[in-house]
Amino acid sequence: KKKGLNIAGMISNDIIGSPTGADGERHDGEVRLFANGLPALINIKSPELEQIARSGAEDDTPTHELRRYLKDTAERYAAGMSVRLIARPDRFLRGSDHLSFLERGYPAVRLVEPAEDYRHQHKNVTVVNGVQQGDLVQYVDFDYIAKVARINATGLASLALAPATPRDAGIEVVQLENDTTLRWRANDEPDLAGYRIVWRDVGAPTWQYSRDAGNVTRFTLKGVSKDDYVFGIVAVDRDGNASPAAFPRPWRPQK
């Protein structure tokens, strides 16, 4: 942070050993993703918080956009795996390394196995009332760990291949109307193909609708009211690689 490095996001894989819960039930095709960036903005007293609160976008911090992106790429490319989004920074009474990134304003998330068996976490290797305690290799499911590794790989590769998230995204709030006009600053990538507008119902966890806007920096969605939906702007290159969405903040012309 002191060097001003542009950190696009941080992914913590913490407690990713097995899909089998304490009851013996397996959840082999699932992983949990904890992500909520709002507390970080409160901690660092970011002016971004006021803009987010004013526009009802508590679920659209950069951390929230990262979680949507990881879920989309995982379920698109990592066959047989689903990502369950949980809009919290972490579990109760627990914490991971991503929290220190969140506290400094960086997008950061945590992947966790679907059903934890606390007998094999942070325990001395011993037997209590006939039950084995401790983090032993016999309780590690390496096939499952490989599946979670693929989720990381697909997300990181997609981020690396994609254009940068559009900057200075705004939603025009100039007059009362039933259309939505969005604007943003042009990306610098030489292979940029254009931009895509995404939107969803207020309260929906992931993007539901999309429309390609072309290689422009301003676009109007006719008949789609900005009062009824949450919007995002995605940059797309000529190979079809897409960036995480940029949340457009209210925009008015300077007087």
Side-chain angles (χ1 to χ4, degrees), residues 8-248:
M10 187 274 190
I11 305 171
S12 176
N13 290 263
D14 198 346
I15 310 298
I16 295 290
S18 172
T20 303
D23 59 0
E25 185 175 351
R26 289 180 60 82
H27 308 264
D28 196 50
E30 184 181 12
V31 68
R32 291 182 291 170
L33 196 160
F34 285 81
N36 185 352
L38 201 60
L41 296 177
I42 295 173
N43 291 338
I44 64 175
K45 294 180 172 59
S46 168
E48 188 177 13
L49 176 64
E50 182 179 356
Q51 292 179 316
I52 287 175
R54 284 180 180 274
S55 56
E58 294 84 355
D59 201 27
D60 284 272
T61 68
T63 292
H64 290 106
E65 306 303 358
L66 176 61
R67 77 172 186 174
R68 291 188 183 96
Y69 193 85
L70 293 174
K71 177 178 175 65
D72 178 70
T73 56
E75 296 178 357
R76 186 188 304 264
Y77 299 118
M81 288 296 287
S82 65
V83 176
R84 180 151 58 100
L85 299 180
I86 301 177
R88 288 174 170 154
D90 212 327
R91 298 113 74 237
F92 288 108
L93 300 177
R94 311 301 285 276
S96 188
D97 298 319
H98 70 298
L99 295 178
S100 59
F101 284 79
L102 275 179
E103 290 166 0
R104 288 157 179 81
Y106 297 115
V109 300
R110 176 179 184 169
L111 290 166
V112 186
E113 62 191 32
E116 297 173 77
D117 188 340
Y118 299 114
R119 296 172 299 182
H120 307 306
Q121 297 179 20
H122 314 296
K123 298 280 189 179
N124 292 328
V125 178
T126 185
V127 176
V128 178
N129 297 325
V131 177
Q132 179 67 60
Q133 308 280 322
D135 188 5
L136 297 167
V137 71
Q138 68 200 64
Y139 301 114
V140 179
D141 187 321
F142 292 98
D143 287 338
Y144 178 76
I145 292 174
K147 292 178 181 179
V148 177
R150 292 187 190 101
I151 288 176
N152 283 262
T154 58
L156 293 171
S158 297
L159 286 167
L161 291 169
T165 301
R167 296 162 293 176
D168 299 335
I171 182 169
E172 295 187 6
V173 286
V174 180
Q175 60 185 350
L176 297 176
E177 57 181 343
N178 290 315
D179 302 331
T180 297
T181 298
L182 302 160
R183 55 171 57 230
W184 55 93
R185 194 198 309 178
N187 279 43
D188 299 326
E189 292 86 359
D191 63 340
L192 184 80
Y195 301 89
R196 180 177 300 142
I197 309 301
V198 294
W199 68 99
R200 67 181 196 275
D201 295 325
V202 175
T206 57
W207 302 115
Q208 299 168 297
Y209 318 102
S210 68
R211 187 173 301 172
D212 288 335
N215 197 355
V216 298
T217 57
R218 185 174 182 269
F219 189 78
T220 298
L221 289 166
K222 293 288 187 181
V224 181
S225 174
K226 57 182 168 289
D227 296 323
D228 297 340
Y229 300 97
V230 180
F231 298 87
I233 303 160
V234 174
V236 184
D237 69 14
R238 289 194 288 265
D239 291 326
N241 299 304
S243 74
F247 174 73

